[in-house]
Protein backbone atom coordinates (compact mmCIF):
# COMPACT_ATOMS: atom_id res chain seq x y z
CA UNK A 1 0.00 0.00 0.00
CA UNK A 2 3.07 2.26 0.16
CA UNK A 3 2.42 3.38 -3.42
CA UNK A 4 -0.50 5.49 -2.22
CA UNK A 5 1.72 7.41 0.18
CA UNK A 6 0.23 6.26 3.46
CA UNK A 7 0.66 3.23 5.65
CA UNK A 8 -2.05 0.56 5.82
CA UNK A 9 -2.57 1.78 9.40
CA UNK A 10 -3.45 5.23 8.10
CA UNK A 11 -5.47 3.83 5.19
CA UNK A 12 -7.59 1.92 7.70
CA UNK A 13 -8.26 5.04 9.75
CA UNK A 14 -5.65 4.75 12.50
CA UNK A 15 -6.27 4.05 16.16
CA UNK A 16 -9.95 5.00 16.16
CA UNK A 17 -10.95 2.46 13.50
CA UNK A 18 -8.51 -0.23 14.63
CA UNK A 19 -9.90 -0.08 18.19
CA UNK A 20 -13.46 -0.51 16.93
CA UNK A 21 -12.52 -3.41 14.64
CA UNK A 22 -10.66 -5.21 17.44
CA UNK A 23 -13.51 -4.79 19.91
CA UNK A 24 -15.96 -6.20 17.38
CA UNK A 25 -13.54 -8.96 16.38
CA UNK A 26 -13.19 -10.29 19.95
CA UNK A 27 -16.96 -10.19 20.33
CA UNK A 28 -17.19 -12.63 17.41
CA UNK A 29 -14.23 -14.66 18.70
CA UNK A 30 -15.91 -15.09 22.09
CA UNK A 31 -18.96 -16.59 20.36
CA UNK A 32 -17.17 -18.79 17.83
CA UNK A 33 -17.47 -22.51 18.68
CA UNK A 34 -14.02 -23.39 17.28
CA UNK A 35 -11.91 -20.80 19.11
CA UNK A 36 -13.84 -19.20 22.00
CA UNK A 37 -12.55 -21.83 24.45
CA UNK A 38 -8.92 -20.81 23.83
CA UNK A 39 -9.37 -17.26 25.15
CA UNK A 40 -9.73 -15.86 28.68
CA UNK A 41 -13.18 -14.66 29.82
CA UNK A 42 -11.84 -11.18 30.33
CA UNK A 43 -10.57 -10.09 26.94
CA UNK A 44 -9.44 -6.60 27.91
CA UNK A 45 -5.72 -7.43 28.06
CA UNK A 46 -5.95 -9.54 24.89
CA UNK A 47 -7.55 -6.59 23.08
CA UNK A 48 -4.93 -4.18 24.38
CA UNK A 49 -2.06 -6.37 23.14
CA UNK A 50 -3.73 -7.05 19.81
CA UNK A 51 -4.25 -3.32 19.26
CA UNK A 52 -0.58 -2.71 19.99
CA UNK A 53 0.43 -5.53 17.67
CA UNK A 54 -1.79 -4.67 14.71
CA UNK A 55 -0.80 -1.01 14.98
CA UNK A 56 2.80 -1.90 14.30
CA UNK A 57 2.00 -4.76 11.89
CA UNK A 58 0.20 -2.19 9.71
CA UNK A 59 2.99 0.37 9.78
CA UNK A 60 1.94 2.52 12.74
CA UNK A 61 3.96 3.15 15.92
CA UNK A 62 5.87 0.15 17.33
CA UNK A 63 3.73 -0.04 20.47
CA UNK A 64 3.83 -3.82 20.84
CA UNK A 65 7.60 -4.19 20.64
CA UNK A 66 8.17 -1.19 22.91
CA UNK A 67 6.28 -2.93 25.71
CA UNK A 68 6.71 -6.66 25.05
CA UNK A 69 9.82 -7.04 22.90
CA UNK A 70 9.94 -9.02 19.65
CA UNK A 71 6.45 -10.36 18.82
CA UNK A 72 7.59 -13.98 18.18
CA UNK A 73 3.95 -14.60 17.38
CA UNK A 74 4.22 -18.25 16.45
CA UNK A 75 6.09 -19.03 19.68
CA UNK A 76 3.55 -17.09 21.75
CA UNK A 77 0.77 -19.20 20.21
CA UNK A 78 2.40 -22.56 20.92
CA UNK A 79 0.53 -23.06 24.23
CA UNK A 80 -2.74 -23.16 22.23
CA UNK A 81 -3.74 -25.97 19.87
CA UNK A 82 -4.29 -24.19 16.55
CA UNK A 83 -5.33 -26.32 13.57
CA UNK A 84 -6.59 -25.26 10.11
CA UNK A 85 -10.05 -24.99 11.64
CA UNK A 86 -8.90 -22.44 14.22
CA UNK A 87 -7.05 -20.36 11.60
CA UNK A 88 -10.19 -20.32 9.43
CA UNK A 89 -12.33 -19.35 12.42
CA UNK A 90 -9.98 -16.48 13.32
CA UNK A 91 -10.10 -15.15 9.76
CA UNK A 92 -13.88 -15.55 9.58
CA UNK A 93 -14.24 -13.43 12.75
CA UNK A 94 -11.89 -10.81 11.35
CA UNK A 95 -13.74 -10.61 8.02
CA UNK A 96 -17.03 -10.22 9.89
CA UNK A 97 -15.55 -7.43 12.03
CA UNK A 98 -14.20 -5.61 8.97
CA UNK A 99 -17.56 -5.97 7.24
CA UNK A 100 -19.38 -4.72 10.35
CA UNK A 101 -17.38 -1.49 10.11
CA UNK A 102 -17.88 -1.21 6.33
CA UNK A 103 -14.20 -1.59 5.54
CA UNK A 104 -13.87 -2.47 1.88
CA UNK A 105 -11.72 -1.94 -1.20
CA UNK A 106 -7.90 -2.17 -1.30
CA UNK A 107 -7.41 -1.89 2.47
CA UNK A 108 -9.87 -4.77 3.05
CA UNK A 109 -8.09 -6.94 0.48
CA UNK A 110 -4.70 -6.06 1.94
CA UNK A 111 -5.77 -6.87 5.51
CA UNK A 112 -7.40 -10.16 4.61
CA UNK A 113 -4.40 -11.28 2.57
CA UNK A 114 -1.78 -10.47 5.22
CA UNK A 115 -3.83 -11.67 8.17
CA UNK A 116 -4.70 -14.92 6.39
CA UNK A 117 -1.00 -15.61 5.82
CA UNK A 118 -0.24 -14.83 9.46
CA UNK A 119 -3.13 -16.93 10.76
CA UNK A 120 -2.02 -19.99 8.79
CA UNK A 121 1.54 -19.44 10.00
CA UNK A 122 0.19 -19.99 13.56
CA UNK A 123 -1.09 -23.48 12.78
CA UNK A 124 0.77 -25.81 15.13
CA UNK A 125 -1.26 -29.03 15.06
CA UNK A 126 -2.72 -31.28 12.39
CA UNK A 127 -5.35 -32.56 14.79
CA UNK A 128 -8.67 -32.16 12.94
CA UNK A 129 -10.73 -32.15 16.11
CA UNK A 130 -9.34 -28.97 17.67
C1 LIG B 1 -4.82 -18.66 13.80
C2 LIG B 1 -5.73 -18.48 14.73
C3 LIG B 1 -5.39 -17.81 16.04
C4 LIG B 1 -5.78 -18.23 17.27
C5 LIG B 1 -6.66 -19.43 17.57
C6 LIG B 1 -5.21 -17.31 18.24
C7 LIG B 1 -5.35 -17.43 19.61
C8 LIG B 1 -4.72 -16.64 20.54
C9 LIG B 1 -4.81 -16.81 21.96
C10 LIG B 1 -5.63 -17.90 22.65
C11 LIG B 1 -4.08 -15.85 22.54
C12 LIG B 1 -3.87 -15.60 24.05
C13 LIG B 1 -4.91 -14.63 24.54
C14 LIG B 1 -4.66 -14.20 25.95
O1 LIG B 1 -4.35 -15.05 26.80
O2 LIG B 1 -4.79 -13.00 26.22
C15 LIG B 1 -3.50 -15.06 21.48
C16 LIG B 1 -2.67 -13.98 21.69
C17 LIG B 1 -2.26 -13.14 20.67
N1 LIG B 1 -2.52 -13.29 19.33
FE1 LIG B 1 -3.47 -14.81 18.47
N2 LIG B 1 -4.51 -16.35 17.59
C18 LIG B 1 -4.59 -16.60 16.23
C19 LIG B 1 -4.06 -15.82 15.22
C20 LIG B 1 -3.43 -14.61 15.41
C21 LIG B 1 -3.04 -13.73 14.35
C22 LIG B 1 -3.28 -13.98 12.86
C23 LIG B 1 -2.46 -12.65 14.94
C24 LIG B 1 -1.87 -11.41 14.35
C25 LIG B 1 -2.17 -10.95 13.15
C26 LIG B 1 -2.49 -12.87 16.38
C27 LIG B 1 -1.98 -12.01 17.32
C28 LIG B 1 -1.95 -12.24 18.67
C29 LIG B 1 -1.28 -11.37 19.63
C30 LIG B 1 -0.51 -10.09 19.31
C31 LIG B 1 -1.47 -11.95 20.90
C32 LIG B 1 -0.93 -11.44 22.23
C33 LIG B 1 0.44 -12.08 22.47
C34 LIG B 1 1.01 -11.71 23.82
O3 LIG B 1 0.71 -12.38 24.79
O4 LIG B 1 1.76 -10.72 23.89
N3 LIG B 1 -3.10 -14.06 16.62
N4 LIG B 1 -3.91 -15.55 20.27
Amino acid sequence: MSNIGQSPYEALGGEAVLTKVINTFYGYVSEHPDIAHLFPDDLSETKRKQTQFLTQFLGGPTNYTNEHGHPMLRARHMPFAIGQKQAEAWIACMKKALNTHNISGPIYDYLVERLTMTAFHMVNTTNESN
Side-chain angles (χ1 to χ4, degrees):
M1 305 275 302
S2 55
N3 59 329
I4 59 169
Q6 58 176 181
S7 65
Y9 178 69
E10 290 163 330
L12 179 64
E15 186 180 350
V17 174
L18 189 57
T19 304
K20 283 194 226 170
V21 168
I22 289 172
N23 267 318
T24 304
F25 168 71
Y26 282 108
Y28 293 135
V29 165
S30 70
E31 290 169 356
H32 198 297
D34 296 332
I35 50 175
H37 63 283
L38 298 172
F39 289 85
D41 290 340
D42 180 355
L43 287 165
S44 46
E45 187 61 12
T46 313
K47 286 180 189 173
R48 194 179 75 82
K49 288 181 183 167
Q50 186 63 274
T51 306
Q52 291 178 319
F53 177 79
L54 288 179
T55 296
Q56 85 181 45
F57 184 79
L58 298 175
T62 58
N63 296 347
Y64 183 91
T65 296
N66 295 349
E67 184 174 331
H68 311 286
H70 191 288
M72 303 181 303
L73 267 198
R74 193 165 194 281
R76 291 192 206 261
H77 286 75
M78 284 310 261
F80 313 106
I82 301 177
Q84 301 270 329
K85 195 195 265 184
Q86 281 66 43
E88 279 161 17
W90 196 102
I91 288 298
C93 292
M94 183 55 77
K95 285 182 180 169
K96 258 174 89 174
L98 294 169
N99 290 332
T100 298
H101 294 287
N102 298 313
I103 292 154
S104 61
I107 186 63
Y108 177 90
D109 296 342
Y110 174 89
L111 287 167
V112 169
E113 187 187 334
R114 281 205 64 203
L115 293 174
T116 300
M117 278 189 330
T118 307
F120 280 92
H121 180 63
M122 299 305 159
V123 171
N124 55 27
T125 175
T126 52
N127 189 337
E128 293 285 312
S129 64
N130 285 309

